[in-house]
Amino acid sequence: MKKAFYVFALFIAALNLRPIITSVASMMGAIQSELGISALTASLLTTLPVLCMGLFAPVATTLSQRFGLERTLCIALLLITVATIMRGINESVTILLVTALAGGIGISFVGPLLSSFIKKYFPTSPGVVSIYSVSMTIGAALASGLTIPIYTQSENNLPLAMSCWAALGIVALIVWIALIRQKQHSGNKTRRLRLPLGNIKAIQFTLFFGFMASMFYALTAWISPIALSFGYSSQYAAMLLTVFTLIQVPIALLVPGIVNRTGNPKLLLVLCSVSELIGLVLLLLSAPMLPAVLFLGIGAGGLFPLALMLPIMETRTAEEAGTWSAMSQMGGYILGAFGPLFIGWMFDLTGQFYASIIAMLVIVMLMIGVQFSMNLGKKDKEGSYQ
């Protein structure tokens, strides 16, 4: 029964990690129109949280050591929820930017600490990370898909459409407060935790996370514009982005379980990257975009949970898993935030997307090179990966 409660706590926490970003992304046109802001200012509403997810990730381990893992997660969820609620105050670009910053900081704490949570409560089952990744995808899809209908049904009430996602945070806080009441304070002040900056394997994980995140955010931002440039309708272009998102859900569920059974993550890492490679080659050959997007979505859907699993599998304690995750997410999200900007810059430079697609091909090939260089542990009889 306790395990089921911990799984639900993990699910409801991860559900809150993307709505504050994707609700804005889906409403970008309306936000620009109503607030009269430039495209550059509007882009900060999605870029700021992703940058914060990288810059503030290392702080999570320090806070966890002082206040305890569960309490720090609850504080971070409270920060995300309050930031989302504040968007209901009024139609203000200042409010949106401040809450993007605050929400991004909260997300930066939750991300690595959920890896610690999995290592602590499911030490021999890193495949539980599938709950984490799938819940994030569901939260992102709900906010991106339903914010516009909520905005329309509420007679174009922008603050309501932006703030209604705080309901997910309120539910999460109820669950995590109940969890905290069951646990003793677990802070550890005797030994200062440090990021594994000199560890070659941790550096490889950080590079991989960075390449993976760059691809994910670049594809999320540019799949629809690429489709439009290839002559597809706006409706079909939007549908392709939906397909890219939805195909990730079953893949994110399957891949961690396969790795957990086989104990061989490297094969899945390379296969998922090759899937992205095939999708990009199909785009370069001007093949129909649907199969290309399916290959890209399959690759992205498998790579993200694998990136979350690696620090859990290759460390011995929850604290170590947190520091390794913080380091990989710090570098990874900072690189990931610049992925869409780089692809857009390539388009501005050349006036077409072929150069951008070639740039993404290079990123994937570099990612495969990092994956081949990893010396990953094997699963032993006790279920440990050491």
Side-chain angles (χ1 to χ4, degrees):
M1 190 68 179
K2 275 191 174 182
K3 290 291 185 184
F5 180 63
Y6 295 151
V7 168
F8 181 68
L10 173 66
F11 176 86
I12 196 65
L15 202 63
N16 284 272
L17 297 186
R18 291 297 177 266
I20 200 168
I21 300 173
T22 57
S23 60
V24 166
S26 65
M27 290 287 295
M28 201 66 80
I31 290 172
Q32 284 186 256
S33 175
E34 290 203 19
L35 302 183
I37 59 177
S38 67
L40 178 61
T41 302
S43 69
L44 287 175
L45 298 176
T46 53
T47 300
L48 271 178
V50 179
L51 279 175
C52 288
M53 285 153 61
L55 293 173
F56 293 95
V59 182
T61 56
T62 302
L63 292 176
S64 176
Q65 191 175 25
R66 179 166 184 175
F67 300 111
L69 173 62
E70 296 81 7
R71 289 181 181 180
T72 306
L73 277 164
C74 192
I75 291 169
L77 288 169
L78 177 62
L79 183 57
I80 296 169
T81 305
V82 170
T84 309
I85 290 172
M86 284 179 63
R87 291 186 165 179
I89 295 175
N90 57 42
E91 294 185 11
S92 164
V93 66
T94 302
I95 289 289
L96 287 177
L97 288 171
V98 168
T99 54
L101 183 66
I105 293 172
I107 294 168
S108 76
F109 297 160
V110 176
L113 293 184
L114 284 183
S115 295
S116 292
F117 183 82
I118 294 170
K119 186 70 176 180
K120 180 177 180 178
Y121 293 104
F122 306 93
T124 60
S125 302
V128 172
V129 80
S130 62
I131 304 297
Y132 178 177
S133 57
V134 167
S135 179
M136 281 182 56
T137 304
I138 291 172
L142 285 173
S144 62
L146 296 180
T147 301
I148 291 177
I150 291 170
Y151 172 73
T152 305
Q153 291 298 316
S154 63
E155 298 180 350
N156 297 350
N157 189 327
L158 185 62
L160 174 63
M162 293 288 95
S163 64
C164 67
W165 299 104
L168 297 175
I170 292 169
V171 175
L173 287 170
I174 293 170
V175 172
W176 278 84
I177 290 171
L179 190 149
I180 289 171
R181 288 179 175 176
Q182 297 178 8
K183 308 299 296 182
Q184 296 296 321
H185 175 61
S186 57
N188 179 11
K189 300 180 182 180
T190 61
R191 183 172 64 91
R192 185 179 177 184
L193 298 175
R194 299 180 184 275
L195 298 182
L197 297 174
N199 188 294
I200 297 299
K201 192 179 291 187
I203 293 171
Q204 290 171 333
F205 290 176
T206 302
L207 288 172
F208 160 55
F209 202 108
F211 291 138
M212 178 277 300
S214 296
M215 281 299 300
F216 175 79
Y217 288 110
L219 290 169
T220 300
W222 292 105
I223 276 180
S224 291
I226 288 172
L228 291 172
S229 73
F230 286 178
Y232 292 94
S233 68
S234 57
Q235 293 84 357
Y236 194 80
M239 183 274 291
L240 288 174
L241 180 57
T242 303
V243 169
F244 173 75
T245 302
L246 292 180
I247 191 63
Q248 295 175 45
V249 175
I251 302 302
L253 274 172
L254 289 172
V255 166
I258 295 171
V259 172
N260 204 37
R261 286 193 298 272
T262 63
N264 183 13
K266 184 178 287 190
L267 176 62
L268 271 296
L269 283 167
V270 174
L271 286 177
C272 290
S273 297
V274 168
S275 181
E276 286 195 337
L277 207 60
I278 293 171
L280 293 170
V281 169
L282 289 175
L283 290 181
L284 276 180
L285 297 176
S286 299
M289 271 198 70
L290 180 58
V293 167
L294 286 171
F295 276 109
L296 292 169
I298 289 169
L303 287 172
F304 183 72
L306 287 170
L308 297 176
M309 284 184 76
L310 290 176
I312 299 171
M313 294 170 62
E314 297 293 324
T315 53
R316 296 182 180 276
T317 66
E319 291 77 17
E320 276 189 337
T323 57
W324 282 51
S325 296
M327 177 171 158
S328 66
Q329 293 184 31
M330 175 184 68
Y333 281 126
I334 290 172
L335 285 173
F338 289 101
L341 296 178
F342 177 71
I343 299 305
W345 175 73
M346 292 289 290
F347 175 77
D348 288 339
L349 204 62
T350 63
Q352 55 182 347
F353 279 108
Y354 288 105
S356 300
I357 295 168
I358 291 172
M360 286 191 278
L361 270 171
V362 173
I363 292 172
V364 174
M365 291 173 71
L366 290 171
M367 180 166 61
I368 292 173
V370 172
Q371 291 165 350
F372 272 117
S373 71
M374 293 177 182
N375 181 24
L376 302 177
K378 298 294 183 182
K379 189 175 182 181
D380 61 24
K381 293 179 180 178
E382 283 73 36
S384 171
Y385 285 84
Q386 302 303 315

